[in-house]
Amino acid sequence: MALVDIPGSKSITARALFLAAAADGVTTLQRPLRSDDTEGFAEGLARLGYRVGRTPDTWQVDGRPQGPAVAEADVYCRDGATTARFLPTLAAAGHGTFRFDASPQMRRRPLLPLTRALRDLGVDLRHEEADGHHPLTVAAAGVEGGAVVLDAGQSSQYLTALLLLGPLTRTGLRITVTDLVSAPYVEITLAMMRAFGVEVGREGNTYAVPPGGYRATTYAIEPDASTASYFFAAAAVTGGEVTVPGLGRGALQGDLGFVDVLRRMGARVETGADRTTVAGTGELRGVTVNMRDISDTMPTLAALAPFASGPVRIEDVANTRVKECDRLEACAENLRRLGVEVATGPDWIEIHPGTPRGADIKTYGDHRVVMSFAVTGLRTPGISFDDPGCVRKTFPGFHEAFARLKGEIAG
């Protein structure tokens, strides 16, 4: 049995950094993820004048409920979607002129539903080039609050950003959502806001966020469930056994639901209070699964799908087309490179059983494409990547950890 230490959750680390920056007092974050995305978020906070003290296992943030400590700043968000969406929202609650830009990859990703909602709340926000995309400038003068309608059908991060903003407004927010994808990520946000002293009300599709700010706290970051999916998949595909401590029945992250898909396919899954174990049984059945709520694990399932005994059909994942790349097409293209039969539609992919052959995987600079097809590589010699280093976005030590796992499972 392999015991795998998964680094902290990217989603939780980003939310915790926002909450810590907004809270009254000093917050200590335990076991935060150290990766390109989260370092970029912390660096962005520093550019806005927040003090962020970093040691290997803990980060301390001096909160500023009144907003950024500087009147002007240029913030580079790198590739990070949470950084690019959360930091302009945080800055809007302060006073000053703040310019945000991002990598070419992040510039392509959409922001318009969020920035439109911020404008509806009176925020002076200007897109400098393409409407709804970085770069953008926020001329911040605080946010009064009020009611706003939001379409979160492309990304739940739009809703999370507004929820996090709510307690920093003068009168609170009422957010009515017309569409929502990846709903479990919103539950993470609500649970974390509660830990920082804010209770959000909900009536149907409307969220009521009270004003009054956040309280600083000490907050432990749980391991990243999306990252854990590659190691759970490795067990299922090789017949090995993998245990991830720190992710159990009380986990905040919906992506732990990926193990239920593996169970349906024939793997043995045990979820304890504070750990989850997946063991391969030598059987992987075909399955049809709706992954709208756990779409970050769609590439993981696509990469192990050829080893199933029947077709694997993944549905309701249109939002994966506007991630770091068009993940649905990236998975299809790479599976075809491996000699696997694949069909796709606007929001689905169907993968037929086959014996993949070695090939160079086209990564599109997307960390999840690399980590997913590393799973295929456990049973397919000759798989390589055109940009293996892009895993630094969320897990700089991924290749070393996966090599260790391969040795333990083989041993």
Side-chain angles (χ1 to χ4, degrees), residues 391-410:
V391 295
R392 62 185 170 272
K393 180 177 171 69
T394 50
F395 191 176
F398 171 79
H399 294 294
E400 294 78 7
F402 220 66
R404 281 196 303 275
L405 175 73
K406 189 173 181 178
E408 289 180 43
I409 287 177

Side-chain angles (χ1 to χ4, degrees), residues 37-52:
D37 268 15
T38 56
E39 295 280 1
F41 199 117
E43 179 187 284
L45 286 176
R47 299 278 297 180
L48 293 169
Y50 296 90
R51 193 194 73 81
V52 183

Side-chain angles (χ1 to χ4, degrees), residues 64-130:
R64 289 184 53 84
Q66 66 272 45
V70 296
E72 287 185 24
D74 271 296
V75 177
Y76 182 64
C77 300
R78 305 190 193 182
D79 280 340
T82 48
T83 310
R85 291 162 179 168
F86 293 0
L87 286 186
T89 309
L90 175 65
H95 291 78
T97 303
F98 309 108
R99 183 180 182 275
F100 298 87
D101 201 355
S103 69
Q105 185 189 64
M106 188 60 225
R107 276 186 170 202
R108 288 193 296 271
R109 298 180 68 181
L111 288 171
L112 190 59
L114 173 60
T115 55
R116 185 179 285 148
L118 290 171
R119 284 169 171 161
D120 288 347
L121 291 168
V123 175
D124 183 349
L125 185 150
R126 181 170 52 86
H127 291 282
E128 294 178 12
E129 295 179 16

Side-chain angles (χ1 to χ4, degrees), residues 334-341 354-357:
N334 282 309
L335 286 165
R336 291 183 184 117
R337 284 176 174 230
L338 299 172
V340 176
E341 184 188 340
T355 304
R357 57 173 183 256

Side-chain angles (χ1 to χ4, degrees), residues 181-192:
V181 72
S182 304
Y185 282 94
V186 177
E187 297 304 319
I188 295 174
T189 305
L190 299 176
M192 292 184 67

Side-chain angles (χ1 to χ4, degrees), residues 181-266:
V181 72
S182 304
Y185 282 94
V186 177
E187 297 304 319
I188 295 174
T189 305
L190 299 176
M192 292 184 67
M193 290 173 70
R194 204 172 297 124
F196 282 78
V198 173
E199 189 69 49
V200 176
R202 185 173 177 185
E203 305 148 21
N205 294 325
T206 298
Y207 297 80
V209 191
Y214 296 102
R215 289 194 307 269
T217 189
T218 297
Y219 194 87
I221 311 291
E222 70 185 30
D224 193 295
S226 309
T227 300
S229 75
Y230 313 113
F231 294 85
F232 291 139
V237 96
T238 61
E241 185 172 317
V242 166
T243 295
V244 175
L247 283 176
R249 280 191 294 271
L252 293 179
Q253 298 163 83
D255 276 5
L256 187 55
F258 180 73
V259 300
D260 297 327
V261 180
L262 295 179
R263 181 189 282 118
R264 283 178 59 194
M265 295 179 78

Side-chain angles (χ1 to χ4, degrees), residues 27-28 341-342 347:
T27 291
T28 300
E341 184 188 340
V342 184
D347 66 347

